[in-house]
Amino acid sequence: MAPKMDLYQKVFDNNKKWVAQKTAEKPDFFATLAKEQNPDFLYIGCSDSRVPANEIMGVEPGNVFVHRNIANLVLHTDLNVQSVIEYAVTHLKVKHIVVCGHYGCGGVKAAMQSADLGILNPWLREVRDVYRNHQDSLETLDEETRYRHLIELNVREQCVNIIKTAAVQQSWLKTQYPTVHGWVYDLHNGILKDLNLDFDDILERIRRVYHLDNP
Ligand code: CO
């Protein structure tokens, strides 16, 4: 119990130091930020405490609009993530939307167990659906490779889910923004990998089936 309390008490000291440091570097740091936000990125990542969005991207407050949940999922019934996408695209006019998964993801690992996970069942069903759609090829792989590959496939599928939204399709046709990217972060070495998804090709294929923009 004691170490946790220590960390809790440190937070406010840390905050004071951070404010002092930021203000020393740039006296109007907070005044400028308070006026408006104009981020280029929407980042959708896992809630995992080891994957802090701003830190792994090396960007300051104001640069990235962030949404995180277990296993970085973009479900069409999730009002939370759908609102975040709508706001980021329509109002903030972000240039890039990133889905960032990570190797060692507990959510994906849990979804790979054929077990009853309570309230997590409906949430992680998305990952299980991704598994089912790639079951034959996944099951030719050894367990560790299969785990890593499912993490990458899940990121790709969530990117596809973003491209299915009306907000993204309409904005893209009007402004050529945003572009959707899939990334995977490696907990073991801190390296961020771009899966280099072919956004144009995915969009083109998606629009043949999920055409949501009015002419
Ligand atoms: Co995770």
Side-chain angles (χ1 to χ4, degrees):
M1 201 63 194
K4 291 268 180 213
M5 282 304 288
D6 287 346
L7 187 57
Y8 182 84
Q9 280 153 0
K10 258 185 95 178
V11 164
F12 292 92
D13 287 339
N14 290 347
N15 172 255
K16 278 196 202 106
K17 282 183 204 147
W18 179 71
V19 170
Q21 186 208 331
K22 286 292 172 197
T23 318
E25 284 165 8
K26 207 176 157 206
D28 61 350
F29 181 78
F30 293 102
T32 309
L33 266 184
K35 277 186 211 142
E36 62 168 351
Q37 61 168 333
N38 193 17
D40 280 344
F41 288 90
L42 163 60
Y43 169 103
I44 298 173
C46 185
S47 295
D48 194 304
S49 62
R50 299 164 295 179
V51 195
N54 283 59
E55 242 173 297
I56 65 173
M57 292 169 72
V59 297
E60 290 291 314
N63 291 138
V64 54
F65 198 63
V66 174
H67 177 84
R68 291 167 69 181
N69 61 41
I70 293 175
N72 39 268
L73 299 180
V74 179
L75 307 189
H76 73 281
T77 50
D78 178 11
L79 187 60
N80 190 346
V81 72
Q82 292 300 330
S83 304
V84 165
I85 293 170
E86 175 76 24
Y87 186 75
V89 172
T90 310
H91 296 279
L92 298 174
K93 303 191 188 312
V94 294
K95 303 272 193 292
H96 306 276
I97 301 180
V98 172
V99 175
C100 184
H102 66 104
Y103 298 122
C105 184
V108 173
K109 187 90 190 167
M112 284 175 78
Q113 328 289 318
S114 187
D116 181 358
L117 302 170
I119 190 66
L120 283 170
N121 287 333
W123 185 254
L124 292 178
R125 200 190 110 159
E126 172 74 6
V127 185
R128 288 176 168 160
D129 286 344
V130 174
Y131 188 99
R132 182 172 49 77
N133 286 335
H134 300 273
Q135 189 166 4
D136 290 345
S137 62
L138 280 168
E139 290 183 353
T140 62
L141 305 170
D142 67 78
E143 199 175 323
E144 186 55 27
T145 314
R146 181 160 69 224
Y147 182 28
R148 289 170 72 88
H149 195 49
L150 180 59
I151 284 160
E152 293 169 4
L153 289 171
N154 180 51
V155 165
R156 187 184 193 284
E157 194 63 27
Q158 304 321 308
C159 290
V160 169
N161 287 345
I162 291 170
I163 298 169
K164 286 175 191 167
T165 63
V168 169
Q169 291 186 24
Q170 288 165 6
S171 173
W172 171 259
L173 288 181
K174 232 188 289 172
T175 66
Q176 306 286 287
Y177 291 115
T179 310
V180 179
H181 312 267
W183 295 353
V184 183
Y185 175 77
D186 194 331
L187 291 177
H188 298 97
N189 57 21
I191 303 289
L192 199 52
K193 179 167 89 178
D194 190 338
L195 295 177
N196 290 315
L197 301 179
D198 188 340
F199 174 77
D200 290 337
D201 181 58
I202 297 174
L203 180 69
E204 155 68 22
R205 294 170 66 85
I206 283 292
R207 290 188 67 244
R208 278 188 240 149
V209 185
Y210 308 84
H211 191 140
L212 297 181
D213 49 282
N214 294 314

